[in-house]
Amino acid sequence: MSQKPSPDIYKPSKEFSKQARISSLAEYKRMWQESIAQPEKFWAEQAQELTWREPWKKVLEWKAPDAKWFVGGKLNITESCLDRHATGPRKNKAAIIFEGEPGDRRTLTYAQLHKEVCQFANVLIGQGVKSKDRVLIYMPMIPEAAIAMLACARLGAVHSVVFGGFSAESIADRLSDSGAVHIITADGGWRRGKVVPLKDNVDEAIKGNREIKSVIVYQRTGQQVAMQKDRDHWWHELTATASSRHQAKAFDSEHPLFILYTSGSTGKPKGILHTTGGYLTGTYTTCKYIFDMRDDDIYWCTADVGWITGHSYIVYGPLAMGVTQVIYEGAPNFPDFGRFWKMIEDHGVTIFYTAPTAIRAFIKAGDAFVENHDLSSLRLLGSVGEPINPEAWRWYHQKIGGGRCPIVDTWWQTETGAIMISPLPGATPLEPGTATLPFFGVDAAILDDSGKECKANEQGRLVIRKPWPSMTRTIYGDKARFKKTYWSDYEGLYTAGDSARRDKRGNFWIVGRLDDVLNVSGHRLGTAEVESALVGHKAVAEAAVVGRPDDLKGQAVVAFVTLKAGFDETPTLQKELRDHVGKVIGAIAKPDDLHFAPALPKTRSGKIIRRLLKELVTTGSVSGNLTTLEDFSVIESLQQRLAKR
Ligand code: 6R9
């Protein structure tokens, strides 16, 4: 079941292609072929551009699912991200232009960032942090979050960043899973004009926990917080007496760099482990080719460092490239939905990377917030996190990109470390809704249940057939789960857990998580497809679709829909929307139930939690783990609405 592809193709503009590193589809194809024939040669060439203390002896040692990249090579990752810029021509170049939610601004040059990281590394040494120790970081989106991560990396300590929107319970879970005994946090952070009480949450998470050796607290918001003697320390007091010189040690290429927790389809979050040399190579190379980063760019990725996008495309990749980037602390709608556009105008942002969920929120808010800002500095846009529905894509392209900026729709995962499928902005023809083609060295394919490659437009499982440098090495402390989750569907192949199809041009269309695929009367139906159809209707702001058991069809389609301002929740509109889906996809996809919802349940990173909706429509209530939910009242109000029917 799929929507007929519309002939809505956007060729790269001559202007962009002329200056791009890869300037035609033919060139991409030639290079991709070569990179697949000899991946080790390709990746070794890329890795050469980074700073190594000792060269590797072997590019790859591979026995699925165990990969070792740049075997025997030694490096300190922060030398590629900081020292080589700070001691060279980028010394006084801005590394970070920070804007706090209240409007405060600060710029850190590469030399300053380097100094701050060295100083904080010395602070950590003073607290007894050693190589391979795990350090939990729970910070607002301020430069110190990156400084803390880089200082850990400089010492070979393994950072585990917990998103500042997560609860005390999540912190406690991650502390116990990772065995971290050092915490870096702040008194609070600003979000929609209010203080997020980070230190209070940490206190709650470690109440009665005697193992915690230190809590370092950056003063951001200035509210009162409890400081426990000998355990809790102010960042500014410790740095005041710390030296800003630090001689970095070199670590093995496979030295662990960080653990980042991500939710799985079941149970407790998985601690995705990444290592050093390969991860750096992957993030650096994708920044170079996919974001086309240049020395005069002002790059802005709106993610939080609590997510993989923040790790790879705020901290490690862009800094390895030596680019200037904007970091923003707060909410996209503070004080109003014009904030991002004002920031792009004020800072002259040239490359902008955000998520479809944000784009849909902007569409819902109305174009007036965009129209009074000059966005002409932009030259490239990016999207990540979920399939971007064509309507959102076109709005982004037209309203934000002025019709002139390519959009790189980047498919990847916490586990892949770096972007895997994406257009190259000067080479790949774009089509709204497809992440297009695999990156260099990425052998992506779509397989059916028997392991055969699917034909054009046939839906199957997305796999990666060859190892790549930034791949996760394990789930921390759970090798068995690692093997089972990613390596057990097909011998020796990585299964992403996404379903997808390829069109005749070879473009990859990600349909959604495999657990989000419904089987309606024997037909496979991606919840994302139905959602995309609904969002294509002028009244719909956002939609979530789940299955519920049905005696006749196997599964029935249930849709939750939030409306744009100016539309009313009427039975007529309900029918109109069902018919609309029928028209776009086919009768089979028509939602059996269509509920209007004031809002949809989301994770703090903005992903709709379909699992909760599914539980709600199946059992009438929700009982599972709700700790990842952004706003609990959303579920409560849906529960009441469904009960009333
Ligand atoms: C980077 C990130 C990974 C899952 C992934 C897929 C979905 C991400 C996407 C996309 C379609 C894209 N996803 N990017 N789906 N098009 N461009 O989001 O990592 O939080 O681990 O999520 O997100 O389903 O499997 P993560």
Side-chain angles (χ1 to χ4, degrees):
M1 287 273 82
S2 60
Q3 216 169 321
K4 276 220 174 64
S6 48
D8 196 7
I9 293 170
Y10 300 72
K11 290 228 171 89
S13 72
K14 284 216 175 64
E15 215 187 327
F16 199 103
S17 296
K18 232 178 23 215
Q19 59 82 52
R21 290 186 171 94
I22 308 295
S23 56
S24 73
L25 190 61
E27 193 183 350
Y28 156 77
K29 283 191 173 156
R30 183 183 54 75
M31 265 184 76
W32 184 80
Q33 291 292 355
E34 280 175 21
S35 74
I36 288 298
Q38 293 179 286
E40 294 169 39
K41 179 166 175 277
F42 172 78
W43 289 117
E45 277 166 16
Q46 301 304 316
Q48 291 290 5
E49 295 178 13
L50 298 158
T51 303
W52 296 81
R53 290 272 191 92
E54 278 176 40
W56 53 87
K57 297 191 174 67
K58 211 170 154 198
V59 179
L60 171 67
E61 233 173 72
W62 174 238
K63 192 172 174 299
D66 297 310
K68 286 191 180 141
W69 282 90
F70 310 114
V71 186
K74 291 207 187 320
L75 75 164
N76 188 297
I77 193 168
T78 67
E79 290 188 330
S80 287
C81 295
L82 299 171
D83 300 57
R84 65 166 170 172
H85 310 308
T87 54
R90 298 196 181 103
K91 186 173 192 284
N92 294 319
K93 175 179 175 170
I96 294 174
I97 300 172
F98 169 69
E99 187 166 313
E101 197 187 71
D104 51 318
R105 289 179 181 177
R106 196 153 44 111
T107 298
L108 286 156
T109 63
Y110 271 96
Q112 287 166 329
L113 185 62
H114 175 249
K115 182 173 160 259
E116 302 257 344
V117 169
C118 287
Q119 198 164 38
F120 198 65
N122 285 325
V123 164
L124 293 177
I125 292 172
Q127 295 303 313
V129 174
K130 292 185 301 298
S131 164
K132 294 199 179 165
D133 282 356
R134 277 81 61 212
V135 177
L136 188 138
I137 298 178
Y138 184 65
M139 295 280 272
M141 266 305 287
I142 57 177
E144 283 68 23
I147 291 168
M149 291 162 75
L150 290 160
C152 288
R154 194 162 178 96
L155 301 178
V158 182
H159 57 71
S160 183
V161 182
V162 177
F163 173 54
F166 277 155
S167 62
E169 207 177 306
S170 315
I171 301 171
D173 285 352
R174 285 151 176 75
L175 279 172
S176 85
D177 190 82
S178 67
V181 294
H182 297 278
I183 300 175
I184 305 167
T185 188
D187 50 355
W190 292 105
R191 188 86 189 168
R192 289 193 194 101
K194 294 206 181 81
V195 168
V196 182
L198 298 172
K199 175 62 164 65
D200 292 354
N201 291 345
V202 168
D203 289 343
E204 198 185 322
I206 62 176
K207 208 190 291 166
N209 182 340
R210 286 159 181 254
E211 302 197 336
I212 302 302
K213 293 201 180 124
S214 75
V215 180
I216 302 176
V217 187
Y218 182 82
Q219 192 169 42
R220 166 69 185 145
T221 48
Q223 88 273 17
Q224 271 282 312
V225 292
M227 296 291 278
Q228 183 175 309
K229 198 163 168 294
D230 298 331
R231 188 198 65 187
D232 301 356
H233 312 274
W234 286 109
W235 175 300
H236 57 268
E237 287 177 4
L238 295 179
T239 47
T241 55
S243 158
S244 54
R245 281 174 189 277
H246 178 265
Q247 198 55 51
K249 281 203 192 87
F251 297 98
D252 199 84
S253 175
E254 281 299 329
H255 192 88
L257 178 64
F258 66 84
I259 301 168
L260 183 61
Y261 287 84
T262 182
S263 34
S265 44
T266 54
K268 68 169 193 159
K270 305 174 275 194
I272 300 300
L273 181 89
H274 282 285
T275 60
T276 308
Y279 175 78
L280 178 65
T281 304
T283 53
Y284 166 80
T285 308
T286 45
C287 279
K288 187 173 71 176
Y289 288 111
I290 296 170
F291 293 117
D292 188 49
M293 285 182 191
R294 306 288 173 163
D295 249 330
D296 53 359
D297 272 315
I298 311 283
Y299 164 82
W300 182 19
C301 165
T302 68
D304 189 285
V305 288
W307 311 112
I308 190 66
T309 307
H311 283 60
S312 302
Y313 297 107
I314 293 178
V315 180
Y316 292 105
L319 293 178
M321 282 296 291
V323 80
T324 295
Q325 71 175 313
V326 171
I327 288 185
Y328 171 55
E329 176 185 32
N333 60 347
F334 189 85
D336 61 41
F337 275 101
R339 183 63 181 263
F340 277 13
W341 321 129
K342 181 171 182 330
M343 282 185 60
I344 289 175
E345 179 174 2
D346 287 356
H347 300 290
V349 172
T350 57
I351 307 173
F352 181 65
Y353 190 29
T354 195
T357 183
I359 296 166
R360 289 194 300 266
F362 290 123
I363 298 175
K364 184 177 177 186
D367 293 356
F369 290 107
V370 183
E371 274 155 8
N372 54 357
H373 292 290
D374 176 5
L375 304 180
S376 60
S377 58
L378 287 171
R379 65 180 194 93
L380 175 59
L381 302 174
S383 172
V384 61
E386 55 179 312
I388 178 165
N389 51 295
E391 290 66 32
W393 194 101
R394 287 188 201 104
W395 185 89
Y396 194 29
H397 188 251
Q398 207 48 49
K399 292 284 169 193
I400 306 306
R404 93 194 153 266
C405 305
I407 298 178
V408 289
D409 176 357
T410 59
W411 178 86
W412 59 295
Q413 310 174 293
T414 305
E415 295 86 339
T416 68
I419 298 168
M420 303 294 279
I421 301 178
S422 168
L424 297 184
T428 316
L430 309 173
E431 193 179 338
T434 168
T436 72
L437 300 165
F439 186 63
F440 301 131
V442 174
D443 186 12
I446 296 166
L447 305 185
D448 69 15
D449 290 347
S450 72
K452 253 197 5 254
E453 197 157 351
C454 290
K455 293 196 208 69
N457 290 320
E458 220 173 70
Q459 196 171 304
R461 289 182 223 195
L462 179 55
V463 301
I464 312 294
R465 295 185 288 204
K466 284 192 169 67
W468 66 100
S470 63
M471 65 201 289
T472 172
R473 302 299 193 260
T474 190
I475 294 176
Y476 187 73
D478 201 345
K479 195 68 186 246
R481 189 175 179 194
F482 173 70
K483 287 187 180 154
K484 185 165 174 292
T485 311
Y486 307 110
W487 301 94
S488 63
D489 284 5
Y490 311 101
E491 176 89 39
L493 308 186
Y494 172 83
T495 341
D498 279 346
S499 66
R501 62 190 167 80
R502 278 189 104 156
D503 66 16
K504 289 222 165 68
R505 281 180 217 95
N507 286 334
F508 284 80
W509 296 75
I510 313 297
V511 177
R513 298 295 304 178
L514 275 161
D515 30 22
D516 289 336
V517 173
L518 310 180
N519 190 325
V520 182
S521 306
H523 296 279
R524 284 198 207 167
L525 186 65
T527 52
E529 270 181 284
V530 184
E531 289 164 8
S532 176
L534 283 165
V535 180
H537 189 281
K538 63 180 185 303
V540 177
E542 200 158 38
V545 168
V546 294
R548 77 167 155 70
D550 183 275
D551 285 349
L552 281 177
K553 303 176 165 186
Q555 275 185 308
V557 183
V558 185
F560 291 85
V561 167
T562 64
L563 296 178
K564 285 186 191 151
F567 290 92
D568 293 327
E569 300 178 354
T570 63
T572 321
L573 183 57
Q574 220 163 7
K575 180 170 182 308
E576 192 179 316
L577 292 177
R578 293 187 64 241
D579 291 344
H580 174 75
V581 176
K583 222 167 51 214
V584 177
I585 306 178
I588 190 88
K590 260 189 174 182
D592 299 88
D593 311 335
L594 190 140
H595 305 289
F596 291 120
L600 298 173
K602 289 186 182 173
T603 64
R604 277 133 183 168
S605 67
K607 287 194 171 66
I608 298 168
I609 316 178
R610 293 179 181 75
R611 174 176 62 79
L612 294 182
L613 293 172
K614 197 168 167 186
E615 203 185 334
L616 186 63
V617 300
T618 311
T619 67
S621 67
V622 169
S623 61
N625 181 351
L626 300 174
T627 52
T628 52
L629 200 58
E630 144 97 347
D631 180 358
F632 183 70
S633 67
V634 170
I635 274 290
E636 276 177 323
S637 94
L638 287 179
Q639 214 161 298
Q640 279 162 12
R641 279 177 174 227
L642 261 68
K644 273 199 211 113
R645 293 176 75 240

